[in-house]
Amino acid sequence: MKFFVDTGDIEEVRQAADWGILDGVTTNPTLIAKSGKGFKETVLKICELVPNGDISAEVVATDYETMLREALEVSSWHPQVVVKVPLIEPGISLVKTLADRGIRTNVTLVFSVSQALLAAKAGATYISNFVGRVDDISDDGMVAVRDTVNMVDTYGFDSEVLVASIRHPLHIVQSVQAGAHVATMPLKIMSMLFKHPLTDKGLKGFLDDWNKAGLHIIEPTGEPALAK
């Protein structure tokens, strides 16, 4: 499974990239606005921090012609840019146009397998299935993820299923169980994946025993005495 961090914050991208497990970054208009930085400036810096990663940059227009102009603009910024497009009628038309031109896309705001089918047929590179927002209305967001994975496999679409709107580590586990190709999450959630009380307890026990025994991997060297 690919791991993307969902943020517009350069420092968060830097931290996730330092772990060596980051495959890409997703942004959206809200995250970019919160960053307080320019859109192109932010996207290019993220590309620099995540070499070879897929970086989603979203169009903000809702009519086809303006969406197309925006898509061509953002895709020209860097080869790593994936154009993020909302699942609306002109958006699906745009995805088809971009796919025919060899421009990669990430179709966002997908909540059902029927919507995902439209994105896949249009040639979406990524289909962003939202789970947290569905859970918020007392439904199960992972159902559409599982159905979309099955749909892509059954019909042999090239699209990858990207689980978005992740709220807690269990969503990651469920994404793995569903066979999703990608999970994008806030840095806070990615950090939580490291945590387990037995890991902390076990490490403490190992280090306590090691230190009591006075052992060293690198033998300490005495500093020369300073001349008086």
Side-chain angles (χ1 to χ4, degrees), residues 10-11 13-18 22-25 39-56 77-81:
I10 295 299
E11 291 309 313
V13 174
R14 192 189 310 276
Q15 181 175 340
D18 284 346
L22 191 63
D23 302 292
V25 178
F39 188 18
K40 183 176 182 180
E41 169 193 359
T42 301
V43 169
L44 291 178
K45 184 62 178 178
I46 291 173
C47 290
E48 178 186 329
L49 291 171
V50 192
N52 303 315
D54 287 345
I55 314 303
S56 289
W77 292 346
H78 198 283
Q80 292 173 230
V81 170

Side-chain angles (χ1 to χ4, degrees), residues 64 67-68 71-72 83-107 117-126 157-159:
Y64 175 82
M67 292 172 82
L68 177 59
L72 295 177
V83 180
K84 200 171 181 183
V85 181
L87 199 145
I88 55 178
E89 292 179 15
I92 291 299
S93 299
L94 175 66
V95 170
K96 174 60 175 171
T97 299
L98 296 178
D100 288 345
R101 298 189 184 194
I103 297 173
R104 297 176 303 154
T105 55
N106 176 357
V107 177
L117 177 60
L118 296 173
K121 286 183 65 64
T125 309
Y126 295 108
F157 290 117
D158 292 329
S159 304

Side-chain angles (χ1 to χ4, degrees), residues 28 38 43 55 60 94-95 102 104 108 112 114 141 162 176 183 198 205 215:
N28 62 42
V43 169
I55 314 303
V60 295
L94 175 66
V95 170
R104 297 176 303 154
T108 189
S112 68
S114 56
L162 186 158
V176 172
L198 294 181
L215 299 172

Side-chain angles (χ1 to χ4, degrees), residues 54-218:
D54 287 345
I55 314 303
S56 289
E58 188 167 346
V59 299
V60 295
T62 56
D63 66 282
Y64 175 82
E65 293 299 333
T66 310
M67 292 172 82
L68 177 59
R69 290 199 297 272
E70 291 181 349
L72 295 177
E73 171 64 23
V74 299
S75 66
S76 73
W77 292 346
H78 198 283
Q80 292 173 230
V81 170
V82 177
V83 180
K84 200 171 181 183
V85 181
L87 199 145
I88 55 178
E89 292 179 15
I92 291 299
S93 299
L94 175 66
V95 170
K96 174 60 175 171
T97 299
L98 296 178
D100 288 345
R101 298 189 184 194
I103 297 173
R104 297 176 303 154
T105 55
N106 176 357
V107 177
T108 189
L109 294 172
V110 175
F111 295 92
S112 68
V113 69
S114 56
Q115 289 180 314
L117 177 60
L118 296 173
K121 286 183 65 64
T125 309
Y126 295 108
I127 302 171
S128 285
N129 278 83
F130 281 51
V131 294
R133 297 191 190 190
V134 177
D135 292 355
D136 289 345
I137 59 170
S138 301
D139 208 342
D140 185 353
M142 294 305 302
V143 170
V145 172
R146 291 192 293 270
D147 289 347
T148 299
V149 170
N150 289 335
M151 178 267 292
V152 167
D153 288 346
T154 297
Y155 294 105
F157 290 117
D158 292 329
S159 304
E160 294 188 36
V161 180
L162 186 158
V163 183
S165 187
I166 285 175
R167 300 287 173 79
H168 45 70
L170 182 58
H171 277 152
I172 309 297
V173 175
Q174 293 170 330
S175 298
V176 172
Q177 293 168 340
H181 305 92
V182 191
T184 188
M185 67 205 82
L187 180 66
K188 177 182 177 181
I189 303 301
M190 192 175 291
S191 299
M192 293 171 71
L193 299 180
F194 287 94
K195 305 301 181 182
H196 195 289
L198 294 181
T199 300
D200 296 339
K201 181 179 179 181
L203 181 59
K204 183 179 184 304
F206 290 155
L207 294 180
D208 285 348
D209 292 342
W210 180 267
N211 291 331
K212 286 176 184 177
L215 299 172
H216 305 280
I217 293 176
I218 299 173

Side-chain angles (χ1 to χ4, degrees), residues 25-41:
V25 178
T26 52
T27 69
N28 62 42
T30 298
L31 294 172
I32 293 295
K34 285 171 63 176
S35 76
K37 307 282 186 175
F39 188 18
K40 183 176 182 180
E41 169 193 359

